[in-house]
Amino acid sequence: MTAPLLAVEGLSVRFRSGGRMLPAVDGLDIAIAAGETVAVVGESGCGKSVTALAIMGLLPAPPDCAVAGRAALDGVDLLSLPPEGLRRLRGRAMAMVVQEPRTSLNPVFTVGDQIAEAVRVHTACSARAARARAVELLELVRIPDAARRLDDYPHRFSGGMRQRVMIAIAMACDPRLLIADEPTTALDVTIQAQILDLLGDLQARFGMALLLITHDLGVVARMARRVVVMYAGRKVEEAPLRPLFAAPRHPYTQGLMRASPHHAPAGGGRRLAEIPGVVPPLDALPLGCAFAPRCPVAFDRCRDERPAVLPAGDGRLAACFRAAGEAAPA
Amino acid sequence: MNRDRPAWRLARVVLRRLLQAVPIVLGVLVVNFLILRLAPGDIADVLAGESGVATPGYVAELRTRFGLDRPVWVQLFAYVSNAALLDLGWSFRHARPVAELIAARLVPTLILMAASTTLAVGLGIVLGVLAARRVNRPIDAVISTLALLCYATPLFWIGLMMIVLFAVQLGWLPSGGFETLGTGATGLGRILDIARHALMPAVALALFYLALYTRLTRASMLETLTQDYVRTARAKGLPERLVVFKHALANAVLPTVTMTGVQINSLLGGAVLVETVFAWPGIGRLAYEAVFTRDHNLLLGILFLSSVLVILVNLLVDLLYAVLDPRIEAA
Ligand SMILES: Nc1ncnc2c1ncn2[C@@H]1O[C@H](COP(=O)(O)OP(=O)(O)OP(=O)(O)O)[C@@H](O)[C@H]1O
Ligand SMILES: [Mg+2]
């Protein structure tokens, strides 16, 4: 296997809170090959967005936040890059689309200005050329009447249209990696499908890798080749799409599947909130497996010892004593 | 093409706002007139008192001469219809037309207002951004403490202390007046001379608002810096300079613009104090003198002018706001 485009290894992010450093992400490994789509799923608060922000270098500065581990893009470790070096990669080699299109565009500048700006910051080109490129990008994300809409302000666009503008900004410099953090969660069902289509088409056309963060297993089924399941800041399972849906190994993944019928239409799946119990708060993580208090099949060892992420057959990984085939006491 | 449509709409808004202002100005005129007429004592009392011939006959004669013996509503009607033609009447105290008196004092006051507003807004924004960028660090603490001090210190005390320090002790700046008399300086030399005179009164008048804008800008910068669009700007790879001064500040400056309108409206009140302390020949001092000499016509004229100024400034601020915040569609 060739070196992946993005290799996240042992990523840990801790936030300062009342004099303590609480782990929001802990020892996370994710690898994405060029052009591949990997989905990251998990309940609210499990550290998905924090992971995205860590890769983009957009987390708060120390001492409020401490990041450790590696996140190499094309062999360059983003986490040890000086701020200026990282800035040059942001928006050029890697780009991000986030959940809330209504607040993610600056209300006092035209969309054309905000797209052209993304072009000009990384390429030496005239204002006129950047404007022409902005029209091109708006057409790329299928905004009708692109040339005329360039001088409109964000409040003139619907939520779906604004998300298209956000995608246009992200595509400004042909990134090799696009991180989409719940790109459709805030949108209507019909619009969600259009945005997912658009992302899929853009990926097919430009061959960028897509790190797709979502709550929605319908979205996962539609878009991803490989899935990473997170719980309480850690990876609990990773598997190719079909085997994962056919036979989830981790009890948490099984819970997610039960909570969200995977035959749901793409983008129409329910949010994953129906597993009994709640995600433990960061300052009260259990000693052993973080899922043990909610797990229907947990046994003593789960509460005392944290299971490592281990191979679970067929190129799959799982962090569960039961999934790894270790004997449980009867 | 679709450029002139907003422009036309803007022009219509301006016209409508100006028309709406007419009854307001009229109301201000009438109320001021009635209040001053109903207050005890008029110019006849003061003049007669000063001349020492305060016989009832002499006072009555003065009243007749000034038209003060006519019924109040007749006086009111005459005053308002004259004012509509920009004839603000006659100052019996100065024996000159009110409009002429005001015109002579208008320029120094406008200089003072422009200088102090520019200083307060400009420096306030810079200090506010600086403090927000270094929140809870030493420089933020210094700026915030200074702002609080300026905010709480009375204007006249600051004025007097500045005179004591910079004019009397150090001798760097003139203690008062508009320009050095008798130098015959023209052009740049005169401008510099006036600027030297204007410096202390402008700073004294600006300090309170400088503090206010610093605090306001700091608070709204802290808020805008956490907004999603600021993260978008960073995610694009924009340099921090653009993230802060373009994306965050363009939004954070909006409350300051609103406040500037309020400041200019109340500046005339501050001008009375500062112009008196620094012997600045402006409208504020003129108004102050008019009160004490019962020069009602002059006072009415000044109040009329300031209400017109307030309306114009408000209109200007609203227009500026509409330009800065495209979400405000000129309705
Ligand atoms: N800036 C921050 N300071 C302190 N704690 C934070 C910060 N950002 C995130 N956290 C905490 O880190 C944890 C993970 O948050 P994160 O936003 O990554 O969750 P998520 O998986 O994206 O959830 P959602 O599905 O709701 O978006 C949460 O407990 C959150 O409270
Ligand atoms: Mg999130």
Side-chain angles (χ1 to χ4, degrees):
Chain A
M1 191 182 144
T2 53
L5 174 72
L6 176 73
V8 175
E9 288 159 12
L11 176 71
S12 294
V13 180
R14 286 174 304 148
F15 289 106
R16 190 170 64 164
S17 161
R20 292 169 63 193
M21 296 302 284
L22 302 177
V25 174
D26 190 6
L28 185 70
D29 299 331
I30 297 179
I32 306 179
E36 190 190 17
T37 299
V38 170
V40 175
V41 291
E43 283 170 297
S44 192
C46 70
K48 305 183 297 291
S49 298
V50 169
T51 302
L53 292 174
I55 295 168
M56 292 292 290
L58 293 174
L59 286 170
D64 294 325
C65 174
V67 184
R70 246 173 79 83
L73 184 71
D74 255 341
V76 179
D77 182 16
L78 302 170
L79 302 186
S80 56
L81 225 48
E84 180 59 16
L86 194 57
R87 179 186 75 72
R88 283 176 205 283
L89 291 180
R90 272 202 296 266
R92 192 162 57 102
M94 55 181 178
M96 184 167 76
V97 175
V98 294
Q99 174 175 350
E100 211 14 276
R102 279 178 181 78
T103 52
S104 293
L105 289 167
N106 196 324
V108 304
F109 298 111
T110 64
V111 299
D113 184 23
Q114 295 184 62
I115 301 171
E117 182 181 62
V119 175
R120 294 196 75 182
V121 67
H122 296 297
T123 37
C125 71
S126 65
R128 176 184 283 265
R131 212 178 136 82
R133 172 83 179 128
V135 176
E136 222 174 271
L137 285 162
L138 279 184
E139 280 164 354
L140 189 68
V141 296
R142 300 176 202 151
I143 288 189
D145 220 354
R148 206 177 50 76
R149 308 251 25 207
L150 208 59
D151 294 321
D152 277 347
Y153 288 92
H155 71 274
R156 298 286 193 122
F157 290 76
S158 66
M161 285 294 162
R162 282 189 225 184
Q163 194 61 300
R164 287 170 195 267
V165 173
M166 289 301 295
I167 295 172
I169 290 174
M171 295 301 294
C173 299
D174 279 331
R176 314 224 18 229
L177 171 69
L178 179 63
I179 301 175
D181 187 356
E182 310 203 29
T184 57
T185 306
L187 303 174
D188 289 347
V189 178
T190 49
I191 311 290
Q192 287 186 7
Q194 292 173 11
I195 296 288
L196 291 174
D197 275 346
L198 175 65
L199 283 173
D201 289 356
L202 289 174
Q203 190 190 19
R205 191 162 152 196
F206 297 98
M208 69 208 173
L210 184 61
L211 179 63
L212 182 66
I213 294 172
T214 179
H215 276 107
D216 187 334
L217 291 180
V219 172
V220 175
R222 177 182 178 134
M223 303 288 291
R225 281 287 116 76
R226 210 148 47 78
V227 186
V228 170
V229 182
M230 282 182 74
Y231 186 77
R234 309 183 123 240
K235 180 161 77 178
V236 294
E237 180 159 11
E238 174 172 348
L241 180 72
R242 274 172 204 290
L244 183 84
F245 272 63
R249 293 278 158 84
H250 197 286
Y252 176 62
T253 318
Q254 291 161 5
L256 288 183
M257 298 280 175
R258 270 196 300 277
S260 171
H262 56 270
H263 300 299
R270 281 177 288 157
R271 286 176 78 94
L272 312 174
E274 287 114 287
I275 304 173
V278 289
V279 184
L282 295 186
D283 59 355
L285 289 178
L287 186 65
C289 173
F291 188 60
R294 300 169 73 188
C295 181
V297 295
F299 57 103
D300 287 347
R301 191 180 172 196
C302 302
R303 284 179 271 274
D304 300 335
E305 192 185 325
R306 192 172 279 175
V309 182
L310 294 172
D314 307 329
R316 308 176 57 160
L317 298 168
C320 179
F321 296 124
R322 296 209 183 257
E326 291 184 37
Chain B
M1 359 160 283
N2 68 352
R3 278 268 154 95
D4 28 47
R5 264 178 48 229
W8 269 112
R9 206 171 44 205
L10 217 61
R12 272 212 309 277
V13 171
V14 172
L15 196 68
R16 205 184 56 219
R17 290 280 301 270
L18 288 178
L19 285 178
Q20 282 170 350
V22 170
I24 298 175
V25 173
L26 210 67
V28 168
L29 268 181
V30 171
V31 169
N32 285 336
F33 185 92
L34 291 178
I35 289 176
L36 289 183
R37 280 296 178 273
L38 295 179
D42 58 20
I43 181 105
D45 292 325
V46 176
L47 286 181
E50 283 173 2
S51 68
V53 238
T55 61
Y58 180 62
V59 174
E61 189 199 313
L62 280 178
R63 288 226 166 84
T64 318
R65 209 160 84 212
F66 299 155
L68 297 175
D69 56 340
R70 293 175 298 166
V72 170
W73 66 268
V74 175
Q75 294 181 41
L76 176 64
F77 184 78
Y79 184 80
V80 171
S81 46
N82 284 338
L85 303 170
L86 292 182
D87 173 5
L88 296 179
W90 183 262
S91 162
F92 299 108
R93 153 72 44 179
H94 294 268
R96 280 168 71 192
V98 166
E100 209 181 294
L101 282 168
I102 291 179
R105 298 291 193 98
L106 191 58
V107 170
T109 291
L110 289 182
I111 289 178
L112 199 57
M113 285 185 168
S116 65
T117 306
T118 311
L119 185 72
V121 173
L123 201 58
I125 288 176
V126 169
L127 290 178
V129 171
L130 210 65
R133 291 287 298 139
R134 300 271 179 276
V135 64
N136 296 337
R137 309 264 191 82
I139 186 153
D140 175 32
V142 170
I143 291 175
S144 297
T145 310
L146 280 180
L148 199 66
L149 270 178
C150 292
Y151 194 75
T153 313
L155 182 57
F156 74 90
W157 189 83
I158 289 182
L160 290 176
M161 286 305 120
M162 283 170 85
I163 292 178
V164 168
L165 183 61
F166 295 109
V168 179
Q169 295 287 331
L170 297 169
W172 291 350
L173 291 168
S175 66
F178 181 69
E179 56 188 319
T180 314
L181 295 173
T183 59
T186 52
L188 192 64
R190 181 161 181 235
I191 291 175
L192 284 178
D193 182 48
I194 293 175
R196 262 168 53 82
H197 283 81
L199 189 58
M200 278 203 293
V203 169
L205 197 52
L207 277 180
F208 176 84
Y209 287 96
L210 173 59
L212 195 65
Y213 295 149
T214 302
R215 286 155 55 110
L216 206 60
T217 305
R218 177 181 179 275
S220 53
M221 274 303 278
L222 284 180
E223 204 214 299
T224 45
L225 280 171
T226 66
Q227 297 292 314
D228 288 349
Y229 52 76
V230 168
R231 191 186 50 207
T232 304
R234 291 209 171 100
K236 282 180 201 175
L238 290 189
E240 196 59 17
R241 166 178 50 84
L242 278 179
V243 172
V244 171
F245 286 97
K246 182 178 174 187
H247 283 271
L249 187 56
N251 288 278
V253 85
L254 294 174
T256 301
V257 171
T258 308
M259 202 59 221
T260 308
V262 178
Q263 176 202 0
I264 297 178
N265 293 345
S266 62
L267 218 50
L268 215 58
V272 173
L273 217 63
V274 166
E275 288 179 3
T276 308
V277 170
F278 290 96
W280 187 261
I283 299 277
R285 225 175 78 205
L286 194 64
Y288 181 73
E289 292 159 7
V291 169
F292 277 94
T293 54
R294 302 286 195 283
D295 197 341
H296 288 177
N297 277 353
L298 181 55
L299 199 53
L300 277 175
I302 292 172
L303 292 174
F304 172 69
L305 176 83
S306 39
S307 65
V308 170
L309 269 182
V310 164
I311 285 166
L312 285 181
V313 165
N314 276 321
L315 181 58
L316 227 83
V317 166
D318 284 359
L319 290 180
L320 182 64
Y321 205 98
V323 169
L324 291 178
D325 188 351
R327 283 165 298 183
I328 313 279
E329 307 261 337

